[in-house]
């Protein structure tokens, strides 16, 4: 009886914490620093559900991998501003597989965003390159590492993914969460030439994360899109919001919607 009561109490506490996190994330989504263009994509990207699934709270220390122009930073910075910490692991000059001017512009634009509003004052910019041993945050400091919409495999295959996962593992506290949102290759396309498409088999993430020491905890289907055939001329970059291709292709891909994405939660063992 005591065990049952304890289990019920733990479930109630977890449910209560989840409701509180939802409310905090909801408030962060309404912050004045968020751009209208980014808010328009909330329905497609489901940030409230995603961050809740990955156990991000206002007290979390979070590492955002390759934040790009800062779509998620606009949510994470106000969420973590008072009690948490955000490390933004942006492009690194030690990574030679992306054009230098592209990386420099990306970092400059991101730094300009951080300078645009006081809510970003506590964001610490670090660096990340999947083939270099750069510290994305102090070792063992992060509650959550977020890798959202990244395509590490296209750089040096499984080697890139292996190095990335080892870096994420070092940054996390024991019991910390690795949250992955990534384009999912349909199982029936495993024998196709998918390696430059940006889509990756889910099993590859599962296998490599296990080899890196992570425990797989859960998947969520909230960002799956069965209409995405994953065979587009420019791979994932054919799809919104990039929409590579001519006007006919853009119209076709807009009608399909967002990239088919897996949402995977891994945990660094507590001991």
């Amino acid at each position: 009886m005591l065990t049952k009561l304890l289990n019920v109490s733990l479930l109630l506490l977890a449910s209560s914490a989840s409701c509180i996190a939802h409310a905090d994330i909801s408030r962060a989504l309404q912050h004045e620093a968020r751009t209208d263009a980014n808010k328009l994509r909330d329905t497609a990207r489901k940030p409230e559900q995603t961050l809740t699934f990955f156990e991000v709270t206002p007290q979390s220390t979070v590492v955002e991998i390759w934040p790009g122009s800062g779509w998620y930073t606009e949510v994470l910075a106000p969420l973590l501003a008072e009690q948490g910490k955000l490390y933004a692991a942006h492009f690194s000059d030690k990574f030679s597989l992306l054009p230098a001017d592209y990386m420099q512009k990306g970092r400059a634009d991101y730094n300009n965003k951080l300078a645009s509003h006081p809510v970003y004052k506590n964001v610490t910019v670090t660096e990340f390159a999947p083939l270099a041993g750069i510290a994305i945050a102090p070792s063992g400091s992060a509650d959550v590492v977020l890798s959202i919409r990244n395509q590490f495999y296209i750089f040096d295959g499984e080697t890139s993914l292996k190095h990335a996962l080892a870096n994420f593992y070092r940054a996390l506290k024991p019991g910390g969460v690795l949250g992955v949102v990534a384009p999912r290759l349909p199982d029936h396309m495993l024998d196709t030439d998918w390696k430059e498409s940006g889509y990756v088999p889910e099993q590859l993430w599962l296998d490599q994360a296990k080899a890196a020491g992570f425990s797989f905890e859960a998947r969520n289907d909230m960002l799956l899109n069965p209409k995405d055939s994953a065979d587009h001329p420019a791979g994932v970059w054919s799809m919104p919001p990039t929409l590579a291709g001519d006007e006919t292709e853009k119209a076709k891909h807009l009608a399909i919607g967002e990239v088919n994405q897996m949402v995977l939660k891994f945990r660094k063992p507590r001991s």
Side-chain angles (χ1 to χ4, degrees):
M1 176 62 75
L2 182 59
T3 301
K4 288 183 178 180
L5 288 173
L6 179 59
N7 288 337
V8 169
S9 297
L10 289 173
L11 286 172
L12 289 173
L13 284 171
S15 177
S16 176
S18 179
C19 289
I20 293 170
H22 263 292
D24 288 316
I25 296 167
S26 182
R27 281 192 291 272
L29 288 168
Q30 304 307 315
H31 195 277
E32 64 181 13
R34 295 199 71 211
T35 64
D36 291 338
N38 284 348
K39 288 179 181 178
L40 285 175
R41 300 197 64 232
D42 286 352
T43 301
R45 299 194 65 170
K46 296 181 171 56
E48 184 172 344
Q49 298 94 317
T50 300
L51 295 178
T52 301
F53 181 66
F54 291 146
E55 302 179 19
V56 178
T57 73
Q59 296 78 35
S60 297
T61 294
V62 177
V63 184
E64 184 183 3
I65 303 299
W66 280 353
S69 62
W71 196 96
Y72 256 102
T73 301
E74 288 186 5
V75 183
L76 291 166
L79 177 66
L80 304 173
E82 298 299 325
Q83 304 174 68
K85 177 65 184 174
L86 177 59
Y87 292 94
H90 218 294
F91 297 133
S92 168
D93 289 332
K94 295 180 180 179
F95 190 47
S96 61
L97 297 180
L98 281 173
D101 56 347
Y102 172 82
M103 292 191 295
Q104 289 164 4
K105 183 180 185 304
R107 289 197 303 262
D109 289 348
Y110 186 77
N111 287 332
N112 288 337
K113 176 186 284 290
L114 297 188
S116 70
H117 195 284
V119 76
Y120 300 120
K121 67 180 180 180
N122 292 325
V123 178
T124 298
V125 179
T126 60
E127 297 181 349
F128 169 69
L131 299 176
I134 306 167
I136 56 177
S139 180
S141 67
D143 298 293
V144 183
V145 171
L146 296 174
S147 177
I148 298 180
R149 299 174 72 95
N150 292 315
Q151 293 89 31
F152 304 128
Y153 195 91
I154 65 172
F155 300 113
D156 194 16
E158 293 185 21
T159 301
S160 296
L161 190 53
K162 177 181 177 181
H163 277 262
L165 285 162
N167 203 335
F168 304 162
Y169 192 92
R170 284 193 298 273
L172 283 166
K173 299 175 181 177
V177 169
L178 168 61
V180 174
V181 176
R184 186 187 188 281
L185 185 77
D187 293 338
H188 70 271
M189 294 184 67
L190 293 175
D191 293 330
T192 66
D193 186 15
W194 55 267
K195 296 181 180 179
E196 300 297 324
S197 70
Y199 294 88
V200 176
E202 180 179 297
Q203 193 61 47
L204 181 63
W205 267 102
L206 297 178
D207 291 345
Q208 291 294 316
K210 181 179 180 179
F214 287 99
S215 298
F216 173 61
E217 189 154 303
R219 64 172 52 81
N220 192 300
D221 295 341
M222 67 179 122
L223 297 180
L224 293 182
N225 179 4
K227 294 191 294 183
D228 178 12
S229 60
D231 61 354
H232 316 298
V236 297
W237 299 278
S238 293
M239 307 297 285
T242 307
L243 292 172
D246 60 29
E247 292 306 312
T248 300
E249 289 173 340
K250 288 180 182 179
K252 171 187 172 183
H253 296 136
L254 274 172
I256 293 171
E258 294 282 323
V259 172
N260 182 48
Q261 295 179 96
M262 50 190 159
V263 180
L264 307 175
K265 180 163 70 174
F266 301 94
R267 195 175 299 276
K268 181 175 181 176
R270 289 182 170 84
S271 60

